[in-house]
mmCIF file of all heavy atoms in Angstrom:
data_model
loop_
_atom_site.group_PDB
_atom_site.id
_atom_site.type_symbol
_atom_site.label_atom_id
_atom_site.label_comp_id
_atom_site.label_asym_id
_atom_site.label_seq_id
_atom_site.Cartn_x
_atom_site.Cartn_y
_atom_site.Cartn_z
ATOM 1 N N PRO A 1 -21.185 -5.947 4.422
ATOM 2 C CA PRO A 1 -22.280 -6.595 5.226
ATOM 3 C C PRO A 1 -22.021 -8.095 5.172
ATOM 4 O O PRO A 1 -21.118 -8.588 4.523
ATOM 5 C CB PRO A 1 -23.528 -6.201 4.456
ATOM 6 C CG PRO A 1 -23.047 -6.027 3.015
ATOM 7 C CD PRO A 1 -21.681 -5.498 3.118
ATOM 8 N N ASP A 2 -22.849 -8.817 5.977
ATOM 9 C CA ASP A 2 -22.660 -10.296 6.015
ATOM 10 C C ASP A 2 -22.918 -10.881 4.622
ATOM 11 O O ASP A 2 -22.271 -11.855 4.260
ATOM 12 C CB ASP A 2 -23.624 -10.925 7.037
ATOM 13 C CG ASP A 2 -23.208 -10.583 8.454
ATOM 14 O OD1 ASP A 2 -21.997 -10.390 8.704
ATOM 15 O OD2 ASP A 2 -24.066 -10.509 9.362
ATOM 16 N N ASN A 3 -23.857 -10.378 3.941
ATOM 17 C CA ASN A 3 -24.167 -10.750 2.538
ATOM 18 C C ASN A 3 -23.431 -9.746 1.605
ATOM 19 O O ASN A 3 -23.838 -8.656 1.427
ATOM 20 C CB ASN A 3 -25.641 -10.725 2.228
ATOM 21 C CG ASN A 3 -25.942 -11.243 0.807
ATOM 22 O OD1 ASN A 3 -25.033 -11.618 0.059
ATOM 23 N ND2 ASN A 3 -27.218 -11.249 0.474
ATOM 24 N N ILE A 4 -22.273 -10.187 1.026
ATOM 25 C CA ILE A 4 -21.477 -9.275 0.247
ATOM 26 C C ILE A 4 -22.159 -8.824 -1.032
ATOM 27 O O ILE A 4 -21.765 -7.833 -1.640
ATOM 28 C CB ILE A 4 -20.076 -9.886 -0.080
ATOM 29 C CG1 ILE A 4 -20.241 -11.125 -0.998
ATOM 30 C CG2 ILE A 4 -19.331 -10.224 1.166
ATOM 31 C CD1 ILE A 4 -18.912 -11.587 -1.539
ATOM 32 N N ASN A 5 -23.233 -9.529 -1.462
ATOM 33 C CA ASN A 5 -23.997 -9.074 -2.591
ATOM 34 C C ASN A 5 -24.706 -7.771 -2.341
ATOM 35 O O ASN A 5 -25.078 -7.108 -3.266
ATOM 36 C CB ASN A 5 -24.999 -10.146 -3.032
ATOM 37 C CG ASN A 5 -24.341 -11.420 -3.611
ATOM 38 O OD1 ASN A 5 -23.189 -11.333 -4.069
ATOM 39 N ND2 ASN A 5 -25.028 -12.520 -3.656
ATOM 40 N N ASP A 6 -24.886 -7.420 -1.083
ATOM 41 C CA ASP A 6 -25.527 -6.135 -0.737
ATOM 42 C C ASP A 6 -24.543 -5.068 -0.419
ATOM 43 O O ASP A 6 -24.906 -3.941 0.002
ATOM 44 C CB ASP A 6 -26.479 -6.368 0.495
ATOM 45 C CG ASP A 6 -27.536 -7.392 0.212
ATOM 46 O OD1 ASP A 6 -27.887 -7.517 -0.952
ATOM 47 O OD2 ASP A 6 -28.006 -8.059 1.168
ATOM 48 N N GLY A 7 -23.225 -5.323 -0.500
ATOM 49 C CA GLY A 7 -22.213 -4.401 -0.168
ATOM 50 C C GLY A 7 -21.453 -3.763 -1.293
ATOM 51 O O GLY A 7 -21.877 -3.846 -2.473
ATOM 52 N N ARG A 8 -20.302 -3.211 -1.015
ATOM 53 C CA ARG A 8 -19.443 -2.573 -2.046
ATOM 54 C C ARG A 8 -17.977 -2.978 -1.697
ATOM 55 O O ARG A 8 -17.120 -2.179 -1.319
ATOM 56 C CB ARG A 8 -19.574 -1.074 -2.032
ATOM 57 C CG ARG A 8 -20.872 -0.530 -2.552
ATOM 58 C CD ARG A 8 -21.136 -0.924 -4.023
ATOM 59 N NE ARG A 8 -20.026 -0.569 -4.861
ATOM 60 C CZ ARG A 8 -19.962 0.603 -5.443
ATOM 61 N NH1 ARG A 8 -20.933 1.510 -5.292
ATOM 62 N NH2 ARG A 8 -18.990 0.908 -6.296
ATOM 63 N N MET A 9 -17.665 -4.265 -1.828
ATOM 64 C CA MET A 9 -16.363 -4.777 -1.595
ATOM 65 C C MET A 9 -15.390 -4.137 -2.524
ATOM 66 O O MET A 9 -14.163 -4.065 -2.186
ATOM 67 C CB MET A 9 -16.304 -6.307 -1.631
ATOM 68 C CG MET A 9 -15.057 -6.902 -1.059
ATOM 69 S SD MET A 9 -14.892 -8.667 -1.384
ATOM 70 C CE MET A 9 -16.185 -9.253 -0.341
ATOM 71 N N ASP A 10 -15.788 -3.738 -3.706
ATOM 72 C CA ASP A 10 -14.879 -3.062 -4.631
ATOM 73 C C ASP A 10 -14.293 -1.826 -4.055
ATOM 74 O O ASP A 10 -13.118 -1.528 -4.248
ATOM 75 C CB ASP A 10 -15.567 -2.773 -5.931
ATOM 76 C CG ASP A 10 -16.811 -1.916 -5.777
ATOM 77 O OD1 ASP A 10 -17.427 -1.926 -4.691
ATOM 78 O OD2 ASP A 10 -17.262 -1.273 -6.770
ATOM 79 N N ASN A 11 -15.063 -1.102 -3.241
ATOM 80 C CA ASN A 11 -14.535 0.089 -2.586
ATOM 81 C C ASN A 11 -13.493 -0.240 -1.544
ATOM 82 O O ASN A 11 -12.556 0.506 -1.302
ATOM 83 C CB ASN A 11 -15.681 0.898 -1.913
ATOM 84 C CG ASN A 11 -16.592 1.592 -2.895
ATOM 85 O OD1 ASN A 11 -16.190 1.780 -4.084
ATOM 86 N ND2 ASN A 11 -17.795 1.980 -2.474
ATOM 87 N N VAL A 12 -13.634 -1.426 -0.900
ATOM 88 C CA VAL A 12 -12.611 -1.859 0.037
ATOM 89 C C VAL A 12 -11.246 -2.085 -0.669
ATOM 90 O O VAL A 12 -10.210 -1.729 -0.164
ATOM 91 C CB VAL A 12 -13.040 -3.127 0.793
ATOM 92 C CG1 VAL A 12 -11.938 -3.623 1.719
ATOM 93 C CG2 VAL A 12 -14.358 -2.921 1.486
ATOM 94 N N PHE A 13 -11.345 -2.687 -1.846
ATOM 95 C CA PHE A 13 -10.098 -2.908 -2.589
ATOM 96 C C PHE A 13 -9.530 -1.586 -3.057
ATOM 97 O O PHE A 13 -8.249 -1.405 -3.126
ATOM 98 C CB PHE A 13 -10.368 -3.826 -3.802
ATOM 99 C CG PHE A 13 -10.673 -5.266 -3.412
ATOM 100 C CD1 PHE A 13 -11.801 -5.876 -3.868
ATOM 101 C CD2 PHE A 13 -9.752 -5.940 -2.610
ATOM 102 C CE1 PHE A 13 -12.007 -7.216 -3.485
ATOM 103 C CE2 PHE A 13 -9.942 -7.244 -2.257
ATOM 104 C CZ PHE A 13 -11.093 -7.909 -2.700
ATOM 105 N N TRP A 14 -10.353 -0.630 -3.508
ATOM 106 C CA TRP A 14 -9.836 0.694 -3.862
ATOM 107 C C TRP A 14 -9.183 1.385 -2.684
ATOM 108 O O TRP A 14 -8.154 2.036 -2.803
ATOM 109 C CB TRP A 14 -10.950 1.600 -4.468
ATOM 110 C CG TRP A 14 -11.420 1.198 -5.777
ATOM 111 C CD1 TRP A 14 -12.676 0.885 -6.218
ATOM 112 C CD2 TRP A 14 -10.586 1.089 -7.021
ATOM 113 N NE1 TRP A 14 -12.707 0.560 -7.554
ATOM 114 C CE2 TRP A 14 -11.475 0.688 -8.080
ATOM 115 C CE3 TRP A 14 -9.264 1.290 -7.261
ATOM 116 C CZ2 TRP A 14 -11.023 0.521 -9.337
ATOM 117 C CZ3 TRP A 14 -8.780 1.147 -8.550
ATOM 118 C CH2 TRP A 14 -9.652 0.728 -9.568
ATOM 119 N N LEU A 15 -9.779 1.203 -1.436
ATOM 120 C CA LEU A 15 -9.177 1.713 -0.238
ATOM 121 C C LEU A 15 -7.723 1.119 -0.059
ATOM 122 O O LEU A 15 -6.782 1.798 0.283
ATOM 123 C CB LEU A 15 -10.064 1.437 0.944
ATOM 124 C CG LEU A 15 -9.460 1.860 2.295
ATOM 125 C CD1 LEU A 15 -9.259 3.338 2.414
ATOM 126 C CD2 LEU A 15 -10.404 1.379 3.422
ATOM 127 N N CYS A 16 -7.631 -0.183 -0.306
ATOM 128 C CA CYS A 16 -6.328 -0.869 -0.166
ATOM 129 C C CYS A 16 -5.323 -0.251 -1.205
ATOM 130 O O CYS A 16 -4.120 -0.130 -0.904
ATOM 131 C CB CYS A 16 -6.456 -2.316 -0.411
ATOM 132 S SG CYS A 16 -7.264 -3.209 0.980
ATOM 133 N N CYS A 17 -5.813 0.052 -2.415
ATOM 134 C CA CYS A 17 -4.991 0.703 -3.353
ATOM 135 C C CYS A 17 -4.437 2.088 -2.918
ATOM 136 O O CYS A 17 -3.261 2.371 -3.144
ATOM 137 C CB CYS A 17 -5.776 0.951 -4.700
ATOM 138 S SG CYS A 17 -5.749 -0.419 -5.805
ATOM 139 N N VAL A 18 -5.304 2.867 -2.329
ATOM 140 C CA VAL A 18 -4.893 4.156 -1.849
ATOM 141 C C VAL A 18 -3.911 4.008 -0.719
ATOM 142 O O VAL A 18 -2.801 4.703 -0.692
ATOM 143 C CB VAL A 18 -6.130 4.998 -1.342
ATOM 144 C CG1 VAL A 18 -5.673 6.276 -0.666
ATOM 145 C CG2 VAL A 18 -7.080 5.268 -2.492
ATOM 146 N N LEU A 19 -4.179 3.144 0.225
ATOM 147 C CA LEU A 19 -3.221 2.946 1.326
ATOM 148 C C LEU A 19 -1.907 2.385 0.831
ATOM 149 O O LEU A 19 -0.831 2.759 1.255
ATOM 150 C CB LEU A 19 -3.891 1.954 2.389
ATOM 151 C CG LEU A 19 -5.041 2.461 3.153
ATOM 152 C CD1 LEU A 19 -5.601 1.335 4.033
ATOM 153 C CD2 LEU A 19 -4.704 3.666 3.959
ATOM 154 N N GLY A 20 -2.017 1.438 -0.144
ATOM 155 C CA GLY A 20 -0.786 0.865 -0.699
ATOM 156 C C GLY A 20 0.077 1.884 -1.493
ATOM 157 O O GLY A 20 1.296 1.875 -1.412
ATOM 158 N N SER A 21 -0.625 2.793 -2.167
ATOM 159 C CA SER A 21 0.083 3.850 -2.949
ATOM 160 C C SER A 21 0.800 4.771 -1.988
ATOM 161 O O SER A 21 1.913 5.170 -2.210
ATOM 162 C CB SER A 21 -0.841 4.634 -3.826
ATOM 163 O OG SER A 21 -1.461 3.768 -4.782
ATOM 164 N N ALA A 22 0.107 5.190 -0.881
ATOM 165 C CA ALA A 22 0.757 6.019 0.074
ATOM 166 C C ALA A 22 1.936 5.327 0.754
ATOM 167 O O ALA A 22 2.975 5.947 1.009
ATOM 168 C CB ALA A 22 -0.288 6.406 1.165
ATOM 169 N N ASN A 23 1.791 4.072 1.025
ATOM 170 C CA ASN A 23 2.826 3.277 1.622
ATOM 171 C C ASN A 23 4.075 3.191 0.666
ATOM 172 O O ASN A 23 5.167 3.177 1.086
ATOM 173 C CB ASN A 23 2.304 1.839 1.992
ATOM 174 C CG ASN A 23 3.347 1.028 2.746
ATOM 175 O OD1 ASN A 23 3.984 1.469 3.700
ATOM 176 N ND2 ASN A 23 3.544 -0.209 2.301
ATOM 177 N N PHE A 24 3.766 3.062 -0.656
ATOM 178 C CA PHE A 24 4.829 2.976 -1.627
ATOM 179 C C PHE A 24 5.608 4.290 -1.705
ATOM 180 O O PHE A 24 6.802 4.260 -1.833
ATOM 181 C CB PHE A 24 4.258 2.608 -3.027
ATOM 182 C CG PHE A 24 5.286 2.542 -4.123
ATOM 183 C CD1 PHE A 24 6.301 1.692 -4.007
ATOM 184 C CD2 PHE A 24 5.121 3.347 -5.249
ATOM 185 C CE1 PHE A 24 7.288 1.552 -5.049
ATOM 186 C CE2 PHE A 24 6.055 3.231 -6.241
ATOM 187 C CZ PHE A 24 7.165 2.333 -6.182
ATOM 188 N N ILE A 25 4.909 5.393 -1.631
ATOM 189 C CA ILE A 25 5.662 6.675 -1.643
ATOM 190 C C ILE A 25 6.519 6.784 -0.385
ATOM 191 O O ILE A 25 7.664 7.212 -0.489
ATOM 192 C CB ILE A 25 4.637 7.852 -1.657
ATOM 193 C CG1 ILE A 25 3.819 7.842 -2.991
ATOM 194 C CG2 ILE A 25 5.293 9.198 -1.455
ATOM 195 C CD1 ILE A 25 2.664 8.821 -3.073
ATOM 196 N N TYR A 26 5.925 6.395 0.736
ATOM 197 C CA TYR A 26 6.724 6.354 2.002
ATOM 198 C C TYR A 26 7.985 5.447 1.797
ATOM 199 O O TYR A 26 9.093 5.815 2.230
ATOM 200 C CB TYR A 26 5.829 5.781 3.123
ATOM 201 C CG TYR A 26 6.535 5.367 4.385
ATOM 202 C CD1 TYR A 26 6.870 6.242 5.377
ATOM 203 C CD2 TYR A 26 6.877 3.998 4.527
ATOM 204 C CE1 TYR A 26 7.540 5.826 6.544
ATOM 205 C CE2 TYR A 26 7.499 3.574 5.689
ATOM 206 C CZ TYR A 26 7.850 4.475 6.663
ATOM 207 O OH TYR A 26 8.472 4.009 7.774
ATOM 208 N N TYR A 27 7.805 4.266 1.194
ATOM 209 C CA TYR A 27 8.842 3.363 0.984
ATOM 210 C C TYR A 27 9.946 4.017 0.044
ATOM 211 O O TYR A 27 11.153 3.804 0.337
ATOM 212 C CB TYR A 27 8.365 1.997 0.329
ATOM 213 C CG TYR A 27 9.476 1.110 -0.049
ATOM 214 C CD1 TYR A 27 10.104 0.263 0.883
ATOM 215 C CD2 TYR A 27 9.905 1.050 -1.356
ATOM 216 C CE1 TYR A 27 11.121 -0.610 0.529
ATOM 217 C CE2 TYR A 27 10.918 0.129 -1.750
ATOM 218 C CZ TYR A 27 11.512 -0.673 -0.779
ATOM 219 O OH TYR A 27 12.523 -1.478 -1.171
ATOM 220 N N LEU A 28 9.519 4.660 -0.990
ATOM 221 C CA LEU A 28 10.486 5.258 -1.906
ATOM 222 C C LEU A 28 11.340 6.312 -1.230
ATOM 223 O O LEU A 28 12.575 6.375 -1.465
ATOM 224 C CB LEU A 28 9.735 5.927 -3.099
ATOM 225 C CG LEU A 28 9.143 5.025 -4.154
ATOM 226 C CD1 LEU A 28 8.422 5.810 -5.237
ATOM 227 C CD2 LEU A 28 10.226 4.147 -4.859
ATOM 228 N N VAL A 29 10.762 7.065 -0.347
ATOM 229 C CA VAL A 29 11.490 8.129 0.354
ATOM 230 C C VAL A 29 12.592 7.489 1.176
ATOM 231 O O VAL A 29 13.769 7.890 1.084
ATOM 232 C CB VAL A 29 10.566 8.940 1.286
ATOM 233 C CG1 VAL A 29 11.357 9.861 2.092
ATOM 234 C CG2 VAL A 29 9.580 9.745 0.416
ATOM 235 N N PHE A 30 12.255 6.496 2.038
ATOM 236 C CA PHE A 30 13.213 5.949 2.960
ATOM 237 C C PHE A 30 14.208 4.983 2.256
ATOM 238 O O PHE A 30 15.394 4.909 2.659
ATOM 239 C CB PHE A 30 12.521 5.218 4.104
ATOM 240 C CG PHE A 30 11.975 6.146 5.117
ATOM 241 C CD1 PHE A 30 10.615 6.521 5.122
ATOM 242 C CD2 PHE A 30 12.729 6.685 6.122
ATOM 243 C CE1 PHE A 30 10.115 7.424 6.039
ATOM 244 C CE2 PHE A 30 12.282 7.567 7.053
ATOM 245 C CZ PHE A 30 10.953 7.966 6.996
ATOM 246 N N SER A 31 13.756 4.310 1.198
ATOM 247 C CA SER A 31 14.730 3.450 0.487
ATOM 248 C C SER A 31 15.763 4.269 -0.292
ATOM 249 O O SER A 31 16.890 3.812 -0.430
ATOM 250 C CB SER A 31 13.965 2.537 -0.475
ATOM 251 O OG SER A 31 13.252 3.230 -1.457
ATOM 252 N N SER A 32 15.359 5.454 -0.762
ATOM 253 C CA SER A 32 16.301 6.312 -1.501
ATOM 254 C C SER A 32 17.343 6.910 -0.553
ATOM 255 O O SER A 32 18.458 7.232 -0.954
ATOM 256 C CB SER A 32 15.521 7.433 -2.217
ATOM 257 O OG SER A 32 14.909 8.277 -1.319
ATOM 258 N N LEU A 33 16.995 7.059 0.701
ATOM 259 C CA LEU A 33 17.884 7.584 1.734
ATOM 260 C C LEU A 33 18.828 6.510 2.339
ATOM 261 O O LEU A 33 19.828 6.891 2.904
ATOM 262 C CB LEU A 33 17.132 8.266 2.867
ATOM 263 C CG LEU A 33 16.288 9.477 2.491
ATOM 264 C CD1 LEU A 33 15.464 9.967 3.645
ATOM 265 C CD2 LEU A 33 17.241 10.583 1.962
ATOM 266 N N TYR A 34 18.448 5.258 2.155
ATOM 267 C CA TYR A 34 19.190 4.188 2.793
ATOM 268 C C TYR A 34 20.488 3.896 2.094
ATOM 269 O O TYR A 34 20.541 3.844 0.826
ATOM 270 C CB TYR A 34 18.382 2.899 2.901
ATOM 271 C CG TYR A 34 19.049 1.813 3.693
ATOM 272 C CD1 TYR A 34 18.959 1.803 5.090
ATOM 273 C CD2 TYR A 34 19.761 0.784 3.097
ATOM 274 C CE1 TYR A 34 19.562 0.865 5.827
ATOM 275 C CE2 TYR A 34 20.371 -0.149 3.828
ATOM 276 C CZ TYR A 34 20.296 -0.092 5.167
ATOM 277 O OH TYR A 34 20.946 -1.064 5.922
ATOM 278 N N LYS A 35 21.541 3.697 2.813
ATOM 279 C CA LYS A 35 22.856 3.347 2.271
ATOM 280 C C LYS A 35 23.242 1.942 2.698
ATOM 281 O O LYS A 35 23.238 1.605 3.846
ATOM 282 C CB LYS A 35 23.936 4.300 2.770
ATOM 283 C CG LYS A 35 23.691 5.806 2.495
ATOM 284 C CD LYS A 35 23.714 6.077 0.953
ATOM 285 C CE LYS A 35 23.473 7.508 0.696
ATOM 286 N NZ LYS A 35 23.397 7.792 -0.761
ATOM 287 N N TYR A 36 23.466 1.053 1.732
ATOM 288 C CA TYR A 36 23.802 -0.328 2.037
ATOM 289 C C TYR A 36 25.146 -0.353 2.810
ATOM 290 O O TYR A 36 26.039 0.382 2.466
ATOM 291 C CB TYR A 36 23.914 -1.159 0.752
ATOM 292 C CG TYR A 36 22.624 -1.455 0.084
ATOM 293 C CD1 TYR A 36 22.284 -0.612 -1.037
ATOM 294 C CD2 TYR A 36 21.843 -2.483 0.409
ATOM 295 C CE1 TYR A 36 21.088 -0.905 -1.707
ATOM 296 C CE2 TYR A 36 20.619 -2.715 -0.236
ATOM 297 C CZ TYR A 36 20.302 -1.926 -1.313
ATOM 298 O OH TYR A 36 19.142 -2.171 -1.985
ATOM 299 N N LYS A 37 25.215 -1.233 3.735
ATOM 300 C CA LYS A 37 26.503 -1.457 4.424
ATOM 301 C C LYS A 37 27.208 -2.726 3.928
ATOM 302 O O LYS A 37 28.434 -2.935 4.139
ATOM 303 C CB LYS A 37 26.307 -1.507 5.942
ATOM 304 C CG LYS A 37 25.591 -2.763 6.455
ATOM 305 C CD LYS A 37 25.548 -2.761 7.967
ATOM 306 C CE LYS A 37 24.915 -4.043 8.488
ATOM 307 N NZ LYS A 37 24.905 -4.145 9.957
ATOM 308 N N ASN A 38 26.480 -3.635 3.310
ATOM 309 C CA ASN A 38 27.043 -4.916 2.831
ATOM 310 C C ASN A 38 26.491 -5.186 1.426
ATOM 311 O O ASN A 38 25.579 -5.959 1.271
ATOM 312 C CB ASN A 38 26.687 -6.100 3.756
ATOM 313 C CG ASN A 38 27.200 -5.897 5.115
ATOM 314 O OD1 ASN A 38 28.390 -5.617 5.320
ATOM 315 N ND2 ASN A 38 26.359 -6.120 6.134
ATOM 316 N N MET A 39 27.074 -4.524 0.440
ATOM 317 C CA MET A 39 26.536 -4.650 -0.875
ATOM 318 C C MET A 39 27.544 -5.194 -1.852
ATOM 319 O O MET A 39 28.635 -4.676 -1.955
ATOM 320 C CB MET A 39 26.017 -3.247 -1.397
ATOM 321 C CG MET A 39 25.289 -3.359 -2.691
ATOM 322 S SD MET A 39 23.687 -4.200 -2.452
ATOM 323 C CE MET A 39 23.199 -4.501 -4.118
#
């Protein structure tokens, strides 16, 4: 809400944690498949 004292911003951060964790799993899958061409 406009007044964050009446809201649950902590849940927004937990949502970011969930999205970030899913994104990290996605990253692990594709980074493990990637082969460097200039290493």
Side-chain angles (χ1 to χ4, degrees):
D2 290 332
N3 182 4
I4 64 169
N5 288 341
D6 299 333
R8 290 298 306 271
M9 194 188 292
D10 55 337
N11 288 342
V12 179
F13 289 126
W14 286 123
L15 175 63
C16 288
C17 271
V18 173
L19 294 176
S21 299
N23 186 47
F24 179 56
I25 294 172
Y26 163 87
Y27 174 80
L28 284 179
V29 171
F30 283 97
S31 62
S32 63
L33 297 174
Y34 186 81
K35 303 296 182 183
Y36 290 98
K37 68 175 184 179
N38 299 310
M39 189 66 194

